[in-house]
Structures are given as structure tokens and as C-alpha cells.
Amino acid sequence: MRLLSYLEDGRERYGAVVEGDVVDLAARIGNEYPDLKTLIARDGLSAARNALKGQSPDRELASLTLLPPIPAPEKLWCIGVNYRDRNAEYKDGSNLQKYPSLFVRNPSSVVGSGQPIEKPNVSEQLDYEGELVIVVGEPGRHIPREQAWRHIFGMTLCNEGSVRDWLHHAKFNVTQGKNFDRSGSIGPWIVTADELDPRGPHDIVTRVNGETRQQDSTERLMFTFDFLIAYLSTFATLKPGDMIVTGTPTGAGARFDPPRWLKPGDVVEVESAGIGILRNTVVEED
């Protein structure tokens, strides 16, 4: 099943993609499951399937203002330097890391597919980072790695937009450059784990104006999805709807000589065959 969130008359709604368009699930089961995060938390997939039986789409996908599939996750975690060869891109002579690099993003820093992402006025160094995202279903703490897969509800995509010259304003963090409002995106929908096995392998491709800039496979991850679930749950309880952005391949704009920063009018597409395409156009901040 492909589940998404969107705005309609200023209200947050959610639905399922059917025959290329959308069935409004909120109208059918919204009393019990008012949003997608609640549906995940209350194990509402069976109710969603029953609500879809015999239904035809009642919303045109192209007409909707898409939100990130989980508009307000409790945790939006991001993993850094997770594909082989990424460490070498830094040219700092460091060894491969024993544990994953980790930072967080605010929900206000991402928009949905089809919505504009903003190049901030204070910087010319907006960059793209195409990534796969795992969405937590079953909650847990101290999850054994061998049980990790059952805690994954599904997968989506992220353009983990980064403002490079703001990544090192302080000594030990990258938080500022990762949290500009509307600088990244997540979507277009969550593909549930019963339809798309998180074990993969999964491809990931990023294009800018049709030109392929990044391309890799989860077969080359240093920290796999099950490892990340086990590791993160060691120090924090995973909650339904939490999102884990799992790392970007080589080929971000900062790694070119000279760097290739995003500019207004650029179209960024992040694609994985089993999920679809996350597409956004860059605009200048108002």
C-alpha cells in the first residue's frame, strides 16, 4: 500500500494511492485514525485495506498539495556517511567509523513532493542529498538486531537538503545547516513493508535537471537498516511514525570541483524503483 498525507482546504488529510490517484482514507476511517501517524500507531493497515475495497480514486494526485507522509514525526533522525566511498570524499585521511554519524532535523525543514524547496537568502550553498527513509511502525527500546525488521512500517524518500557553509558554524555540530526551513523534502508516500521488503536491495538515484548526480544501492551501506534500528533504540525509544533518513551516496554538489550548488529553477528528483520519485523545484526564499 502507498500512503500519503496532503492538505485540503487548509486541513491535513491522508489517503492511499489507487490506480495512480488517491482514495481519501481520512473520510472513511478518520474517526478512529485521524492521521497517518495514528493509523501506524494503532496498527490500522487492515482497516485501511478494508476501507479501500471496491473504492475508486476520489482525488486527483496531481491536484493535491502533498505533505511529508508523516508531517510531524516525534523523531526525524538522519545518518551521515553511510555508503562506501563516502568517507573518502572528505579527503581527511580518517578511518571508517565504528558507529554511525547522527543528527536530527526539525519537521519544518522539509516539505512534501511537488512543493518548492527554498534556497536561503543568507547562503549560495544549498546542496542536495538523495536518501532512502525507513518509517518506524512497532515501537520499541533495546531492539535486538534480529528483530529489527518487524519494527519497520515502510519506506519513503528524502532530499536531505543541506546549506553547506552553515554546517560548521560551531565546533561540534551540523545542526544549523541541516535545519533551514523548507530546505529539504520527504515523500511522495510511504510504501508499506508488506509491499516493499525493507531488506532490499534498494536502489537510490538523484538527478538535477535530468542529470544523474548520485546512484547507489543499499547493498553498499556500511550501517544497514536493521543495525540502525538496533543502534538507535539502544538510547531512545522508537515511536510509530519516527523517520530515519539512512544516508546519501557519493556525488553531492559540494564534491564537484568547482561545487555545483542548487539555484532557483533547478529541479531535484530522488528516485528508487520500488518507491517512486520525490520531485521538487528550488525557489529563492521570500
Side-chain angles (χ1 to χ4, degrees):
M1 191 178 303
R2 300 185 174 209
L3 300 169
L4 50 73
S5 296
Y6 60 95
L7 280 179
E8 186 174 73
D9 298 327
R11 296 180 299 158
E12 180 186 320
R13 311 283 290 180
Y14 71 96
V17 179
V18 175
E19 299 171 358
D21 285 306
V22 176
V23 173
D24 181 6
L25 284 174
R28 292 162 172 80
I29 57 174
N31 288 338
E32 186 174 0
Y33 309 102
D35 53 42
L36 192 48
K37 185 163 68 172
T38 305
L39 184 141
I40 295 171
R42 296 180 182 173
D43 196 20
L45 266 185
S46 293
R49 289 192 190 94
N50 288 335
L52 289 174
K53 289 180 180 178
Q55 299 295 319
S56 297
D58 49 23
R59 302 288 190 277
E60 291 185 2
L61 177 60
S63 71
L64 298 179
T65 298
L66 297 188
L67 299 168
I70 307 295
E74 180 178 288
K75 304 179 193 71
L76 178 48
W77 275 324
C78 300
I79 307 300
V81 194
N82 198 16
Y83 283 84
R84 296 173 194 168
D85 307 327
R86 277 284 284 125
N87 197 62
E89 275 195 318
Y90 285 84
K91 299 179 181 178
D92 58 4
S94 62
N95 294 324
L96 293 179
Q97 54 198 352
K98 185 177 180 180
Y99 301 109
S101 299
L102 177 67
F103 55 92
V104 297
R105 290 190 73 123
N106 295 316
S108 63
S109 72
V110 292
V111 298
S113 185
Q115 308 313 306
I117 58 174
E118 293 184 0
K119 186 195 82 63
N121 292 331
V122 297
S123 175
E124 298 300 320
Q125 296 187 14
L126 177 63
D127 205 351
Y128 55 86
E129 293 189 10
E131 311 195 26
L132 291 157
V133 182
I134 49 179
V135 181
V136 174
E138 183 178 335
R141 176 86 193 277
H142 297 298
I143 299 168
R145 188 171 177 178
E146 61 271 17
Q147 297 179 20
W149 297 108
R150 68 182 176 88
H151 290 264
I152 298 177
F153 176 79
M155 296 176 58
T156 186
L157 298 167
C158 179
N159 173 16
E160 209 267 296
S162 301
V163 182
R164 295 292 179 191
D165 52 342
W166 279 68
L167 292 180
H168 303 290
H169 272 197
K171 186 173 183 180
F172 293 121
N173 68 70
V174 298
T175 300
Q176 299 94 316
K178 296 290 189 177
N179 279 281
F180 275 79
D181 285 352
R182 298 173 294 280
S183 58
S185 59
I186 296 180
W189 42 66
I190 298 169
V191 183
T192 54
D194 59 340
E195 179 176 324
L196 182 67
D197 189 344
R199 293 173 176 82
H202 301 285
D203 67 315
I204 182 74
V205 177
T206 307
R207 294 183 293 270
V208 178
N209 300 327
E211 176 190 3
T212 297
R213 299 278 185 89
Q214 297 179 293
Q215 188 166 11
D216 218 320
S217 167
T218 54
E219 293 174 299
R220 287 168 41 81
L221 285 174
M222 292 185 289
F223 302 106
T224 56
F225 295 169
D226 56 330
F227 179 93
L228 295 174
I229 292 286
Y231 179 76
L232 295 171
S233 70
T234 303
F235 59 84
T237 301
L238 296 179
K239 301 286 187 66
D242 285 351
M243 308 184 89
I244 304 169
V245 184
T246 60
T248 197
T250 59
R255 306 306 168 193
F256 288 87
D257 186 13
R260 303 176 73 177
W261 309 120
L262 294 174
K263 59 185 184 301
D266 285 345
V267 177
V268 183
E269 296 176 309
V270 181
E271 181 174 11
S272 185
I275 301 173
I277 300 175
L278 169 66
R279 181 184 292 109
N280 302 90
T281 300
V282 179
V283 300
E284 192 79 48
E285 179 187 1
D286 290 335

